[in-house]
Amino acid sequence: MSAHDTAIRHDGHHGDDHHDHDEDGAPHSSFSGYMVGFVLSIVLTAIPFWLVMAGVITHRPTAVLVLGAFAVAQILVHMVCFLHMNGKVEGGWTLLSTIFTVVFVAIAIAGTLWVMFHMNENMMPAHGGHAVHPPAAPHSTP
């Protein structure tokens, strides 16, 4: 390698080929990409806020599911638009580790709720509608 080649390689330019990604494979951010993420975040916040404040959904379990779906959608928008997570960044390891974390947290939460539910049912007999009746007074005959 000559001194001229070394000078060209160390001047901060990568020759004539321009890439849309950094050297580690991370995509460059664009103003339009951030604006799309921002608008989607606003919409995914405003709709659930309106649903709750206007009392559109009166059935509580349905409201929890709908609001949870909006929350998951907003998390995905943030991960894609702002954190630039996809299967190509760092060979997919970032996305894979995020999926593992989500699965691990879901198992931990489900297991905790399962244990708490069963302990509530088995340890608190008066709480679950299984009222304990006091013993009957002995009958006396005259």
Side-chain angles (χ1 to χ4, degrees), residues 11 42 48-51 67 70 72 93 107 111 114 118 120 124 130-131 134 137:
D11 67 353
I42 295 295
F49 183 79
W50 172 75
L51 289 173
L67 295 177
F70 275 104
V72 168
W93 284 108
I107 290 171
W114 180 72
H118 285 285
N120 185 39
M124 304 284 291
H130 308 287

Side-chain angles (χ1 to χ4, degrees), residues 7-130:
I8 290 174
R9 291 178 194 262
H10 292 294
D11 67 353
H13 298 290
H14 297 288
D16 293 334
D17 55 342
H18 297 286
H19 299 287
D20 290 337
H21 301 289
D22 291 334
E23 290 178 11
D24 62 351
H28 287 287
S29 304
S30 67
F31 180 74
S32 63
Y34 283 124
M35 287 308 294
V36 166
F38 178 70
V39 169
L40 284 173
S41 295
I42 295 295
V43 168
L44 291 172
T45 301
I47 292 173
F49 183 79
W50 172 75
L51 289 173
V52 170
M53 295 305 289
V56 174
I57 303 173
T58 57
H59 190 244
R60 186 175 175 94
T62 304
V64 169
L65 289 175
V66 169
L67 295 177
F70 275 104
V72 168
Q74 192 166 83
I75 289 170
L76 293 174
V77 166
H78 285 237
M79 288 173 61
V80 171
C81 293
F82 300 121
L83 298 176
H84 307 291
M85 294 184 77
N86 59 27
K88 297 176 186 169
V89 176
E90 296 181 13
W93 284 108
T94 304
L95 183 62
L96 188 63
S97 65
T98 303
I99 291 170
F100 172 77
T101 302
V102 167
V103 168
F104 184 77
V105 168
I107 290 171
I109 290 172
T112 300
L113 292 174
W114 180 72
V115 167
M116 290 172 63
F117 174 77
H118 285 285
M119 286 189 68
N120 185 39
E121 288 294 316
N122 295 326
M123 301 291 284
M124 304 284 291
H127 180 65
H130 308 287

